[in-house]
């Protein structure tokens, strides 16, 4: 949740039930982009970076697990004064074996993990920051303003079905190559096996109602199932082109 705030999202929080909270993250305006403070402890020394924003955030899920990687950029660094307090996060893992993914072409369901299999999903949030905004009579940067946002990802290891996928992505649903790029609705969710309360696991859900989808290369080898990957890119053509929902305690 804090990483998404630093990457340019604003949450709206509601209480699902006692002890269970739903945070719906949507893109912030530039003026509402928050700042973070980061503490890094090595041995008995704690350094503090303040006025920090996140310029890249990747969430990657494969058969081994779900992990994140972030790039952070700050304006000021110094020794932490030692008065900070915090709360440890619950040590509950989001699992790649629970959750779901659906891909829709309008009202037509293209992929549903209730019946389809895949090997991986990634979400890449690129939030480039202007690191050359400096001022005379100051050693540090003056600001780290956003320069736009690009949200992309990959879905890998789907079983190839020519009629469903290839014809849609390459032929535009027709019978010959098309210049138009397929635009699909992508929704996926990861969950934990541990529940906060009955029926409420920890979870992270990504909903992109309009994503350009392009077919990557694929290999056919012997009698193996032909699996393929595709790349997607969020299209900013609505008020909320992406919504990320976090359920936690």
């Amino acid at each position: 949740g804090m990483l998404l705030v630093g990457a340019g999202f604003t949450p709206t929080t509601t209480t699902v039930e006692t002890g269970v909270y739903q945070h719906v993250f949507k893109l912030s305006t530039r003026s509402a982009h928050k700042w973070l403070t980061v503490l890094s402890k090595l041995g008995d020394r704690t350094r503090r970076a303040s006025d920090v924003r996140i310029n890249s955030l990747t969430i990657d899920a494969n058969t081994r697990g779900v992990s994140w990687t972030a790039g952070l950029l700050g304006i000021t660094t110094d020794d932490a004064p030692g008065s900070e307090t915090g709360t440890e996060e619950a040590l509950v893992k989001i699992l790649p074996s629970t959750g779901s993914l659906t891909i829709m072409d309008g009202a037509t369901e293209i992929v549903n993990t209730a019946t389809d299999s895949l090997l991986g999903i990634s979400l890449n949030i690129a939030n480039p920051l202007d690191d050359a905004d400096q001022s005379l009579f100051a050693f540090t940067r003056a600001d780290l303003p956003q320069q736009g946002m690009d949200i992309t990802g990959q879905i890998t290891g789907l079983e190839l079905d020519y009629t469903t996928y290839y014809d849609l992505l390459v032929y535009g649903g027709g019978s010959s190559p098309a210049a138009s790029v397929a635009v699909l609705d992508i929704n996926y969710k990861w969950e934990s096996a541990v529940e906060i309360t009955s029926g409420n696991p920890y979870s992270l859900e990504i909903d992109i109602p309009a994503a350009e989808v392009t077919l990557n290369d694929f290999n056919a080898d012997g009698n193996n199932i032909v699996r393929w990957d595709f790349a997607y890119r969020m299209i900013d053509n609505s008020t909320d082109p992406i919504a990320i929902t976090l359920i936690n305690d």
Side-chain angles (χ1 to χ4, degrees), residues 8 44 56 80 89 94 97 99 115 126 146 148 172-173 178 235 243-244 246:
D44 60 355
S56 65
E89 289 195 58
I94 299 292
S97 55
T115 55
Q146 284 180 301
I235 302 175
I244 302 177
L246 175 68

Side-chain angles (χ1 to χ4, degrees), residues 92-95 98-99 190-196 200-204 247:
V92 177
K93 286 189 176 182
I94 299 292
L95 300 178
T98 58
W190 298 301
E191 295 178 345
S192 65
V194 175
E195 295 182 336
I196 306 168
N200 291 297
Y202 296 86
S203 66
L204 184 68
I247 303 288

Side-chain angles (χ1 to χ4, degrees), residues 17-218:
E17 59 181 66
T18 302
V20 182
Y21 302 93
Q22 174 180 276
H23 315 276
V24 179
F25 292 84
K26 298 180 179 180
L27 295 178
S28 304
T29 60
R30 179 180 287 187
S31 61
H33 191 179
K34 299 288 188 180
W35 298 95
L36 303 180
T37 298
V38 180
L39 301 179
S40 176
K41 186 174 183 179
L42 185 62
D44 60 355
R45 186 180 186 189
T46 302
R47 295 289 291 171
R48 177 180 65 179
S50 53
D51 297 326
V52 175
R53 284 174 171 167
I54 291 175
N55 58 12
S56 65
L57 176 60
T58 296
I59 303 172
D60 185 64
N62 54 45
T63 54
R64 296 182 301 276
V66 182
S67 60
W68 61 265
T69 304
L72 301 94
L73 193 61
I75 293 178
T76 305
T77 180
D78 55 15
D79 286 322
S83 57
E84 297 87 354
T85 60
T87 302
E88 294 292 334
E89 289 195 58
L91 297 178
V92 177
K93 286 189 176 182
I94 299 292
L95 300 178
S97 55
T98 58
S100 61
L101 174 140
T102 57
I103 302 176
M104 305 290 292
D105 177 21
T108 304
E109 186 178 89
I110 303 300
V111 178
N112 188 331
T113 49
T115 55
D116 301 311
S117 63
L118 66 148
L119 299 179
I121 311 171
S122 66
L123 176 72
N124 306 308
I125 300 171
N127 181 42
L129 305 172
D130 182 2
D131 61 0
D133 190 347
Q134 294 182 291
S135 173
L136 288 175
F137 310 109
F139 180 70
T140 62
R141 297 178 177 90
D143 196 2
L144 291 172
Q146 284 180 301
Q147 294 182 304
M149 183 174 284
D150 188 27
I151 296 179
T152 60
Q154 290 268 346
I155 296 179
T156 62
L158 283 165
E159 295 181 15
L160 181 63
D161 180 310
Y162 267 98
T163 302
T164 303
Y165 307 125
Y166 192 88
D167 291 356
L168 172 66
L169 301 183
V170 177
Y171 293 161
S175 58
S176 61
S180 60
V181 177
V183 177
L184 305 179
D185 180 346
I186 300 175
N187 178 280
Y188 51 94
K189 177 192 285 188
W190 298 301
E191 295 178 345
S192 65
V194 175
E195 295 182 336
I196 306 168
T197 60
S198 179
N200 291 297
Y202 296 86
S203 66
L204 184 68
E205 180 178 4
I206 289 88
D207 183 47
I208 304 176
E212 288 185 342
V213 174
T214 53
L215 179 66
N216 291 0
D217 295 337
F218 55 87

Side-chain angles (χ1 to χ4, degrees), residues 208-232:
I208 304 176
E212 288 185 342
V213 174
T214 53
L215 179 66
N216 291 0
D217 295 337
F218 55 87
N219 293 318
D221 182 19
N223 62 354
N224 294 328
I225 293 174
V226 179
R227 293 185 178 273
W228 63 288
D229 309 337
F230 71 76
Y232 65 86

